[in-house]
Amino acid sequence: MNYFDLVNKCLAELNYKQVNAFSELTKNDHKKIKNIINLVNTEVCNYDNWNFKLRKAALNLPPHTAEIENTIYGRIASLVIDGHVYKYFDKPDVFINGKAPSQVWGSFGDKLLLPEFEEAKNVNVIYYTANTAQDAEGNEKKFLENETDQSLIPDIFAEHVIVYGTCMRLKANPQHVKFGYWLSNFNSALATMRAKIPVDAGAAAYVKMLRY
């Protein structure tokens, strides 16, 4: 379900008039809905390490080099060199002083800190992307912007999680006649998503929707 479809679903759920084209989304309520859709999508995507966010990359570590630019857009889950999994070591000063333990990696600013080798090494990285959407060609992006953009949340969950979450956030009033309905359906959709998406049982996420 693309960005335009999500907006129209929200309009229908709110008993607002739907539109025929993305270019017609010019009213203040339209803009609010578009913004809140992105807020809800980002919150749900970024709250936990969902497996639909897993990506892999290969970096090159030149010989006699202890740091390289961190080009990973997201949170690193695993870093492997020569088949060995390196653990994260959160003491950059120890790396800088050349006293880091073996088989660890660290970070400092926009750099990855790694052990030095005599020869070049391939650094294989598995990470959770910080992106939350993709365009029609499958290119990932930070936010939903264009009509055909889609959330990274799988379609089977995206509609209910995003639409009910958006309606609830837009009205933000527990006394609203449909607030309880939206909240119940959002929680139900999210619970189903938590049960079916995580890689393991310990990875289940909890998302708290704030009221304003």
Side-chain angles (χ1 to χ4, degrees), residues 81-155:
I81 302 174
D82 289 339
H84 299 291
V85 178
Y86 281 60
K87 294 183 178 180
Y88 182 67
F89 188 67
D90 190 20
K91 292 185 177 180
D93 56 313
V94 177
F95 275 96
I96 293 171
N97 291 328
K99 297 180 179 179
S102 61
Q103 295 190 3
V104 298
W105 67 276
S107 62
F108 184 74
D110 60 352
K111 302 290 185 181
L112 292 179
L113 307 178
L114 299 159
E116 290 188 35
F117 295 95
E118 295 291 327
E119 66 280 350
K121 295 289 183 180
N122 287 322
V123 181
N124 296 305
V125 178
I126 296 175
Y127 67 100
Y128 292 93
T129 180
N131 287 312
T132 68
Q134 61 184 5
D135 64 22
E137 286 71 46
N139 300 307
E140 292 187 1
K141 56 198 306 184
K142 184 65 177 173
F143 300 111
L144 295 158
E145 299 172 298
N146 304 315
E147 177 178 352
T148 56
D149 289 348
Q150 292 183 292
S151 169
L152 291 185
I153 300 172
D155 273 347

Side-chain angles (χ1 to χ4, degrees), residues 4-76:
F4 179 54
D5 293 332
L6 287 171
V7 174
N8 257 340
K9 285 282 186 179
C10 289
L11 291 173
E13 184 63 35
L14 292 161
N15 293 320
Y16 293 172
K17 183 180 179 180
Q18 293 180 279
V19 298
N20 296 315
F22 195 71
S23 58
E24 296 176 20
L25 297 171
T26 57
K27 296 181 179 179
N28 285 336
D29 278 343
H30 295 159
K31 294 175 182 178
K32 288 180 182 178
I33 289 171
K34 289 169 68 178
N35 287 335
I36 294 173
I37 284 174
N38 265 303
L39 285 173
V40 173
N41 183 55
T42 299
E43 285 183 359
V44 175
C45 281
N46 289 343
Y47 199 87
D48 200 54
N49 293 330
W50 305 103
N51 66 0
F52 62 78
K53 292 170 50 185
L54 278 173
R55 303 291 183 268
K56 62 181 180 179
L59 307 177
N60 179 59
L61 178 64
H64 306 291
T65 302
E67 62 180 51
I68 57 175
E69 183 180 355
N70 183 7
T71 58
I72 302 299
Y73 188 60
R75 292 181 291 177
I76 294 176

